[in-house]
Structures are given as C-alpha cells and as structure tokens.
Amino acid sequence: PDTIPSYRHMCLAIPGKVIAVEGKKSTVDFGGIKRKVDLSFLEETKVNDWVLVHVGFAIQEIDEDIARETFRLLAESRKHELDTELKQP
C-alpha cells in the first residue's frame, strides 16, 4: 500500500513503586492499585524503587520525580480525553 496506517492506540509503560520483592517477583503500587510484576529484566530492584511496567514486566528503573511527573501527565491527558468525549454530540 501507498499509505502508512494510522493508529489511535499505543502501548504505555506505567510507573509504579515496588512495595515487596520475592526473588524476581514483586508487588508494585500504581497510585493505590497494587499488582504483581515480574522483575526478570532488571538486575537489583528493591523495595521503594520506582520502575516502569509494561504488560506485567518491569522494564526499567526510574527516578521518583520522573514517575510522579509521568503520573501527572497521564492524569492530565486522560482529563483532556474525557473532556473531549463529553463535548461530542
């Protein structure tokens, strides 16, 4: 085809705070929502570290300030999306 398909959706890695570690498995807190996360891709993740999680796997350790800014941007983006949806007839 001569055109490149456009996609409306993308995959995101979401920041979360590690609250428990058992080997290569962990529990991560995503702003109050806790989920089991696999740490196999990371070296030495410990409790209180912040990680980016994609489809159940921690893929990168990140700074707490970056995690909090990402949460803020996601919330702002979602608010804009909801405002736009509510304005549609």
Side-chain angles (χ1 to χ4, degrees), residues 13-51:
I14 305 299
K17 184 176 183 178
V18 177
I19 59 172
V21 175
E22 290 184 36
K24 285 295 186 179
K25 303 294 181 186
S26 68
T27 302
V28 176
D29 183 347
F30 300 94
I33 299 170
K34 296 171 182 67
R35 295 284 186 258
K36 297 292 184 186
V37 172
D38 191 305
L39 300 174
S40 296
F41 294 131
L42 303 179
E43 294 289 324
E44 298 180 20
T45 305
K46 55 194 175 304
V47 172
N48 293 323
D49 285 348
W50 287 83
V51 293

Side-chain angles (χ1 to χ4, degrees), residues 21-89:
V21 175
E22 290 184 36
K24 285 295 186 179
K25 303 294 181 186
S26 68
T27 302
V28 176
D29 183 347
F30 300 94
I33 299 170
K34 296 171 182 67
R35 295 284 186 258
K36 297 292 184 186
V37 172
D38 191 305
L39 300 174
S40 296
F41 294 131
L42 303 179
E43 294 289 324
E44 298 180 20
T45 305
K46 55 194 175 304
V47 172
N48 293 323
D49 285 348
W50 287 83
V51 293
L52 284 177
V53 179
H54 177 67
V55 295
F57 290 87
I59 58 172
Q60 181 179 346
E61 290 184 17
I62 60 170
D63 178 86
E64 181 177 354
D65 292 336
I66 292 171
R68 293 190 184 283
E69 177 66 3
T70 302
F71 276 130
R72 186 189 71 73
L73 291 170
L74 287 170
E76 184 178 296
S77 172
R78 185 62 183 143
K79 181 186 178 313
H80 174 74
E81 185 178 316
L82 287 172
D83 288 347
T84 301
E85 289 176 13
L86 291 173
K87 289 178 184 175
Q88 292 180 1

